[in-house]
Amino acid sequence: MRRFKVCVNGTEYTVDIEEITGSEPAAQSVPAAPAASAQPEKAVEARPAGTEVKSPIQGTVVKTSVSVGDTVAAGDRICVLEAMKMEYDINAPCAGKISAVCVTRGETAEEGRVLAVIS
């Protein structure tokens, strides 16, 4: 067995991979099953329940305008993304309190990534 560190969408996983050589009988070949050790290496924080503000496009986070605990109204700016040399305001879809900010300045946000949570 060999152990590797793999990063998928910004989350690191440690996986064990069995090396199979040509000298082993084919009858012992078993279809690969999901490895039990494919768990995140670092604990992923559980997001609070609420309305998730997701990135509509892939871009770089230029600015976050809110912090955890801030109160926002519908339409208030949550953050600014830069894509294709243009800046896009990402606004709150509803009023509420910011319960999580999931990105930081300089980070790349893929389309559909949760940027913040409003509860």
Side-chain angles (χ1 to χ4, degrees), residues 21-82:
T21 63
S23 62
E24 294 180 14
Q28 292 181 352
S29 296
V30 178
S37 64
Q39 299 296 322
E41 187 171 277
K42 58 184 178 183
V44 176
E45 294 179 27
R47 278 192 213 110
T51 302
E52 294 180 337
V53 180
K54 295 183 178 183
S55 177
I57 57 172
Q58 179 175 340
T60 302
V61 179
V62 176
K63 177 181 182 181
T64 55
S65 303
V66 295
S67 299
V68 173
D70 289 353
T71 301
V72 295
D76 285 355
R77 182 171 58 195
I78 300 294
C79 67
V80 178
L81 292 180
E82 181 183 289

Side-chain angles (χ1 to χ4, degrees), residues 100-118:
V101 177
C102 306
V103 293
T104 58
R105 184 173 181 236
E107 212 174 333
T108 299
E110 296 80 23
E111 181 178 350
R113 178 172 177 190
V114 176
L115 304 172
V117 179
I118 302 172

